Amino acid sequence: EDQVTQSPEALRLQEGESSSLNCSYTVSGLRGLFWYRQDPGKGPEFLFTLYSAGEEKEKERLKATLTKKESFLHITAPKPEDSATYLCAVQARSEKLVFGKGTKLTVNP
Amino acid sequence: GAVVSQHPSWVICKSGTSVKIECRSLDFQATTMFWYRQFPKQSLMLMATSNEGSKATYEQGVEKDKFLINHASLTLSTLTVTSAHPEDSSFYICSARAMTSNEQFFGPGTRLTVL
């Protein structure tokens, strides 16, 4: 069974304090790994898709990386507006996404 | 680009009534749409996958007669919660995938409260 585990469950940072979120996965035949951002009471917002180990993608203060067992979402010099829940999802042989429980990030000014 | 809308954004209904939620892809054609449910402080759980013009495929444990899904066009899918009960209260979110893309883009969600 495909599984996604995200850690930590919650993370508090000071503005400017860089850190990383982890997404470990077990899947037979990874077609893609996706990162989303979700604000309270809203739908997830697409951030990145990674397809193969070694791949990296960047967007503003966020950088996502992928290995054969896990993905990291690095946040450089975060700002309060980066506060949200970050969701990781994997896609295996079907087009279904299996989501982790997310990491709730709070960035204090 | 890749904007998905949902209507209504929230709805309150009495137990036993039916509620319809619309999901529209505004600037692309969605060959596949997905319906998820999210309980407080939990992640998204896929309920069903629908392809335009075909019957929806439901996940194990999801009652197809209770959650009716129609994907009548490449830009519109609807979820009808029939004979709603308080335990159906949840946050329902749709997503859409374009023909030429692997990414799913999500709508803003619909908060359903059944009294």
Side-chain angles (χ1 to χ4, degrees):
Chain A
E1 185 180 331
D2 302 332
Q3 288 189 330
V4 178
T5 303
Q6 291 188 246
S7 61
E9 288 186 13
L11 180 63
R12 285 185 175 273
L13 300 173
Q14 288 299 122
E15 184 171 2
E17 180 186 1
S18 301
S19 188
S20 296
L21 313 181
N22 178 264
C23 170
S24 298
Y25 63 90
T26 305
V27 64
S28 29
L30 180 72
R31 286 178 57 185
L33 184 141
F34 303 80
W35 281 99
Y36 288 87
R37 167 193 170 128
Q38 186 175 25
D39 292 302
K42 296 190 177 180
E45 174 190 344
F46 172 75
L47 294 174
F48 304 109
T49 309
L50 301 168
Y51 291 103
S52 57
E55 189 175 359
E56 298 182 353
K57 288 195 177 172
E58 286 188 66
K59 179 181 178 180
E60 295 180 357
R61 295 177 292 282
L62 301 177
K63 178 180 175 181
T65 61
L66 180 66
T67 72
K68 289 187 178 179
K69 294 183 179 180
E70 57 191 351
S71 176
F72 291 93
L73 185 65
H74 307 278
I75 303 176
T76 303
K79 298 182 177 182
E81 53 262 41
D82 294 322
S83 297
T85 295
Y86 290 85
L87 299 171
C88 171
V90 296
Q91 182 185 44
R93 294 199 180 96
S94 74
E95 55 188 337
K96 297 191 299 185
L97 295 184
V98 176
F99 280 87
K101 293 185 177 180
T103 293
K104 183 178 180 180
L105 173 66
T106 304
V107 182
N108 296 313
Chain B
V3 179
V4 177
S5 70
Q6 273 183 250
H7 179 81
S9 54
W10 59 271
V11 57
I12 301 173
C13 69
K14 292 183 179 179
S15 186
T17 61
S18 295
V19 173
K20 180 185 282 189
I21 303 170
E22 289 187 350
C23 176
R24 292 181 185 271
S25 55
L26 299 184
D27 53 1
F28 66 100
Q29 292 188 321
T31 48
T32 309
M33 286 186 168
F34 306 83
W35 287 95
Y36 294 83
R37 188 158 63 175
Q38 187 175 35
F39 291 104
K41 297 187 179 181
Q42 305 236 347
S43 194
L44 284 76
M45 294 300 295
L46 180 66
M47 298 174 67
T49 302
S50 73
N51 291 290
E52 185 263 337
S54 303
K55 288 185 178 180
T57 302
Y58 291 81
E59 294 300 298
Q60 193 171 10
V62 178
E63 300 173 58
K64 62 178 70 174
D65 294 331
K66 182 171 186 62
F67 298 99
L68 301 179
I69 291 172
N70 184 281
H71 191 163
S73 76
L74 286 173
T75 60
L76 173 65
S77 176
T78 59
L79 168 68
T80 301
V81 183
T82 62
S83 187
H85 288 96
E87 56 266 30
D88 298 323
S89 298
S90 188
F91 192 50
Y92 292 87
I93 314 174
C94 72
S95 71
R97 183 181 68 80
M99 202 179 308
T100 56
S101 170
N102 199 32
E103 286 77 17
Q104 291 184 27
F105 297 95
F106 285 81
T110 297
R111 173 74 58 193
L112 170 63
T113 301
V114 185
L115 302 176

